[in-house]
Amino acid sequence: MQPSPVSSPQSITRSLRRGTPVVIAAQIAAQVVSLGVLAVLYRLLGVEPYGLLGMVVLLLLLLRILMTAGLDVATVQQAELNDLQLSALFWMTQGLGAVMAAVTAACAPLLAWLYNVPELRGLTVALAGIAPATVLGTQHLALLQRRLRLGTVAVLRLVALALSGLAGMAAAVAGWGVWALVVQQYAELLVLAAGAWVLEPWRPGLALRGTGARPLVRFGGHYTLASLMFYVTQNADKVLVGCFLGPAALGLYSQAFGLMMKPVGVVMTPLTGVML
């Protein structure tokens, strides 16, 4: 199966007209669901677990940029793409995911020392599996976007968000504390990956060399560099808050910042998907 994009401008226009309203509606619904889940979990868990999670998430966000390496964006952007190239990109991201999982676990003592919070050791190791869970569905989601199934992707993300919220709330009610947030993280990524594999029929073959994927890797490298610069501007303040004020302050600050940015997300998330 050739993973080619929609070819004609008329087809693109029709696909965008069908998908964009669904994307916008799903994005608004996702903001409402995330606010509801956040309110319930805040009431059940308090502020500090969110601060502890936020300290590790800052590392995970950095490593996520490196492990995807912009290859998913290259999958969407490339005008012509064959199965060999796509398989090579898939296995590259799986390898990077495994490497970043090891890096995350290795950084556990460093994070505990940096923030002077011993609890971060076990939490960081537990979250190391987020890396392979993330890349498991990355290329399939990119293919769905490439085929302009924007509404499908938006609904899938909404379902994953809702189910992970329910899983996190169930764990919180059971008294799991900060580990309820860990459950929530894994549940969202695994539901998203499983849904992407079901909705996108493409399956990777065994191809790594001689696939012609080098231009795609080069494009991904440029995208990764831009993403790293954006990451620094977006997260330096959170690192400083966590280091100097502790997990409770970071929990309040990061969630308040996220709440402030939600209206922007309602507009920018669907717009970014459509423009890409």
Side-chain angles (χ1 to χ4, degrees), residues 54-271:
M55 290 174 174
V56 184
V57 165
L58 290 173
L59 172 66
L60 297 178
L61 290 175
L62 173 60
L63 297 182
R64 181 171 186 170
I65 295 172
L66 299 176
M67 68 188 172
T68 56
L71 300 180
D72 54 334
V73 179
T75 297
V76 179
Q77 181 267 345
Q78 186 72 8
E80 298 294 334
L81 189 64
N82 59 47
D83 280 343
L84 289 178
Q85 291 172 320
L86 192 55
S87 294
L89 295 181
F90 175 83
W91 292 115
M92 286 179 195
T93 55
Q94 302 314 300
L96 288 171
V99 170
M100 294 308 162
V103 171
T104 302
C107 287
L110 178 61
L111 282 183
W113 170 81
L114 176 66
Y115 291 108
N116 194 27
V117 179
E119 296 91 333
L120 288 181
R121 285 177 178 265
L123 185 61
T124 304
V125 172
L127 287 168
I130 289 292
T134 299
V135 297
L136 186 60
T138 297
Q139 288 301 318
H140 287 75
L141 287 169
L143 273 178
L144 288 171
Q145 285 186 281
R146 180 182 177 86
R147 302 184 201 284
L148 294 179
R149 297 182 64 183
L150 304 178
T152 301
V153 173
V155 172
L156 175 59
R157 292 188 183 278
L158 175 60
V159 171
L161 178 66
L163 292 179
S164 65
L166 291 173
M169 288 187 287
V173 170
W176 288 22
V178 68
W179 300 103
L181 300 180
V182 176
V183 169
Q184 183 185 15
Q185 296 288 316
Y186 276 103
E188 182 172 1
L189 292 172
L190 293 176
V191 170
L192 194 59
W197 278 72
V198 170
L199 293 169
E200 171 51 56
W202 177 84
R203 296 295 180 261
L206 295 177
L208 285 174
R209 295 186 177 183
T211 61
R214 184 171 298 179
L216 302 173
V217 175
R218 187 180 304 114
F219 176 88
H222 295 156
Y223 183 85
T224 300
L225 180 59
S227 298
L228 287 172
M229 296 172 65
F230 187 73
Y231 169 86
V232 172
T233 61
Q234 287 290 96
N235 294 290
D237 55 337
K238 299 178 183 66
V239 174
L240 294 174
V241 170
C243 286
F244 289 102
L245 299 179
L250 179 58
L252 286 170
Y253 179 81
S254 60
Q255 296 306 318
F257 184 87
L259 182 62
M260 177 193 70
M261 294 299 294
K262 282 186 182 297
V264 179
V266 169
V267 177
M268 292 304 298
T269 298
L271 181 62

Side-chain angles (χ1 to χ4, degrees), residues 34-60:
S34 65
L35 279 175
V37 171
L38 178 63
V40 172
L41 288 178
Y42 247 120
R43 176 62 64 92
L44 293 172
L45 300 176
V47 176
E48 188 165 337
Y50 275 96
L52 293 172
L53 180 69
M55 290 174 174
V56 184
V57 165
L58 290 173
L59 172 66
L60 297 178

